[in-house]
Each structure stands twice: as C-alpha cells, then as structure tokens.
C-alpha cells in the first residue's frame, strides 16, 4: 500500500513539474510586421529562458530553420539577430517582396513548448520616377503631360486642374511589373486645342490601399493670350537692351 502511494505521489510531482514548466515558458513575438522593400526588416521575438532545446522556424509552411543557426534559401539574407540569446528575432536583409508571408516560431525548451506566428507584409512606397511636359504649338496647340511612378502595392494616378476638376478619365495609363515585382505605372494626359486651359495641372499618386494622395506634381500652363503677352514682354526687353550700330544695324 505504501509503494502505491509513493508511485502516485511521484507521478503527481512529475505532472505538476511538467505543468508548471510549461507555464513558465513565454514566447513573445510581434503578430504583424510591415517591412520596406530593399531595407532590413526585423521580426521581433523573445523567450525567457536560455535552455533552448530546439528552434524551428518556417515560412508559409516550408522550414527555413531547424535546430541550428543555418537558414535555408533567401541567399543568406535571413538570420537570427542575436544568436545564443533570449532574443530570437529574425533579421531579413534587403527585404524583397517575396519575403512577405507567415513566419511560424516553434520553440522547445526545458521549460516547455510554444508556437507563435508573425505575418510580414512588404511595401515599396511609390515615388515619381519621372514627370514630363511636352508642349506642341503646331498645327494645333497640344499639351502632353506624363507622370510615372514605381512602387508596391498597386497605385492610381489621378489628374486634376487647379486641384478640383478631375481629368483622370481622359488619361491613358499603362502598368508593367519590374523583375522585383514592383508596379511601374505611366499615365499620359493629352490636351488639345480649345481644351487647353490656363491653370495648374496636377498628377496625384494614391496607393490603392489608402485614401489619401501621397505624391503631387504640378504643371503650370499659360493660356495662348498669356503666352503672347509673355513673348511681347520679352521682345520689349530685347529692343530696350539692343544697340544701334553705325549704318542702322541692330544688335
């Protein structure tokens, strides 16, 4: 009878220790991280014990680390930020769009077992890589305005005159993907003849996931009358600064 109680007592102790050990292990990871294209990105994750028995990390179901500090794939860009420490965060160097996804930490220590996931979203803020204005005076006055932006995710280019009237429906737009997966978008607005109005024409870039315009580029266009007045003023200045040489030559 005493032997039975001893065995029961030992089983209770072992079960209690296992339960408490599991409770003692903590794994704290950020649930969501947004990284910037071609920049280093940290996936923060920490444990509270150095008695690490095994660390397994997978991305979208595929193992990238299993029981060592050697990572598979990504050409050596993914590493432990602080090996052999309580900080088991990942650092992704020169982050690419393909690095986005779900990273799962599977940690086993003498204090128990924990699993957590981190979702990485990668963005490349759009920038106006080129803006062009092509004025054509003959045979009919034409203004060709071109805006080009590169980034990720997809963006929209809208056109306005004096910041109010929306001319986007009159523009032609094209979009291609770069080898890195970025969107290269070009929008061309062509204004002809009587439709050419004096004012500030603007192209505005907006990420499809946002409601605010992040980039603006203004094109100031003068009316035909203003252009004539400007040319007349320039001619007056030219005459005023000219010198009449003997014989009536004007220079």
């Amino acid at each position: 009878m005493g032997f039975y109680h001893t065995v029961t007592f030992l089983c209770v102790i072992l079960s209690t220790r296992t339960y408490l050990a599991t409770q003692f292990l903590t794994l704290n990871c950020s649930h969501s991280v947004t990284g910037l294209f071609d920049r280093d990105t940290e996936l923060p994750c920490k444990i509270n014990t150095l008695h690490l028995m095994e660390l397994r990390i997978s991305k979208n179901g595929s193992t990238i680390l299993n029981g060592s500090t050697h990572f598979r794939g990504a050409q050596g860009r993914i590493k432990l930020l602080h090996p052999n420490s309580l900080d088991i965060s990942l650092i992704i160097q020169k982050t690419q769009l393909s690095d986005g996804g779900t990273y799962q930490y599977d940690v086993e220590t003498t204090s128990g077992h924990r699993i957590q996931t981190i979702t990485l979203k990668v963005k490349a803020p759009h920038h106006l890589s080129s803006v062009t204005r092509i004025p054509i005076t003959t045979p009919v006055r034409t203004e060709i305005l071109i805006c080009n932006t590169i980034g990720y995710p997809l963006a929209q280019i809208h056109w306005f005159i004096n910041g109010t009237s929306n001319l986007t429906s009159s523009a032609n737009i094209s979009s291609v993907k770069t080898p890195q997966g970025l969107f290269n978008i070009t929008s061309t607005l062509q204004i002809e003849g009587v439709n050419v109005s004096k004012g500030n024409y603007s192209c505005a870039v907006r990420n499809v996931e946002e409601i605010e315009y992040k980039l603006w580029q203004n094109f100031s266009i003068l009316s035909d009358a203003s252009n004539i007045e400007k040319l007349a003023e320039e001619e007056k200045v030219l005459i005023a600064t000219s010198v009449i040489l003997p014989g009536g030559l004007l220079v």
Side-chain angles (χ1 to χ4, degrees):
M1 192 70 174
F3 176 78
Y4 172 76
H5 284 299
T6 302
V7 171
T8 303
F9 181 70
L10 289 175
C11 288
V12 170
I13 291 176
L14 291 174
S15 298
T16 303
R17 284 182 177 175
T18 302
Y19 173 78
L20 291 175
T22 304
Q23 295 302 304
F24 287 153
L25 172 63
T26 60
L27 173 62
N28 295 319
C29 302
S30 295
H31 297 298
S32 179
V33 174
T34 299
L36 295 180
F37 177 77
D38 214 31
R39 304 281 185 88
D40 291 353
T41 302
E42 179 182 344
L43 304 185
C45 204
K46 293 183 179 181
I47 55 176
N48 65 337
T49 175
L50 282 173
H51 300 291
L52 184 62
M53 297 173 62
E54 188 168 11
L55 170 62
R56 294 180 294 274
I57 302 177
S58 61
K59 178 201 167 193
N60 297 336
S62 299
T63 300
I64 59 175
L65 175 72
N66 189 4
S68 69
T69 57
H70 177 69
F71 284 80
R72 301 175 184 173
Q75 293 75 48
R77 293 184 299 103
I78 302 180
K79 303 176 182 178
L80 285 174
L81 185 60
H82 301 292
N84 304 316
S85 73
L86 296 176
D87 188 344
I88 55 174
S89 303
L90 287 182
I91 184 73
I92 304 177
Q93 300 173 329
K94 299 185 73 67
T95 306
Q96 303 298 302
L97 295 180
S98 58
D99 293 325
T102 300
Y103 292 76
Q104 178 174 291
Y105 275 76
D106 190 335
V107 179
E108 186 174 348
T109 74
T110 55
S111 300
H113 177 233
R114 284 287 183 272
I115 294 176
Q116 281 200 20
T117 59
I118 302 175
T119 300
L120 173 61
K121 186 175 185 179
V122 182
K123 290 185 175 183
H126 278 266
H127 64 281
L128 287 169
S129 57
S130 66
V131 289
T132 308
R133 177 190 172 196
I134 306 174
I136 302 174
T137 56
T138 56
V140 177
R141 184 187 178 190
T142 302
E143 295 281 348
I144 300 177
L145 309 179
I146 304 172
C147 277
N148 173 262
T149 181
I150 299 176
Y152 186 92
L154 187 65
Q156 298 172 336
I157 299 179
H158 289 181
W159 291 91
F160 300 92
I161 179 170
N162 298 326
T164 54
S165 300
N166 196 323
L167 307 175
T168 306
S169 60
S170 301
N172 293 320
I173 189 167
S174 63
S175 177
V176 297
K177 273 196 172 183
T178 69
Q180 296 84 11
L182 304 178
F183 288 101
N184 187 337
I185 307 166
T186 301
S187 182
T188 303
L189 179 66
Q190 181 168 315
I191 316 162
E192 297 181 350
V194 294
N195 294 319
V196 178
S197 301
K198 176 183 177 181
N200 288 319
Y201 288 77
S202 307
C203 69
V205 179
R206 182 178 67 187
N207 186 322
V208 293
E209 297 181 354
E210 300 170 348
I211 60 175
E212 295 182 356
Y213 293 101
K214 296 296 184 181
L215 300 171
W216 285 84
Q217 176 63 43
N218 293 323
F219 302 84
S220 293
I221 297 179
L222 301 176
S223 64
D224 286 336
S226 298
N227 280 333
I228 293 172
E229 292 174 3
K230 185 177 180 182
L231 290 173
E233 289 297 324
E234 291 177 352
E235 186 176 353
K236 289 179 182 178
V237 173
L238 179 62
I239 294 174
T241 56
S242 300
V243 177
I244 299 178
L245 296 179
L249 294 176
L250 183 66
V251 295

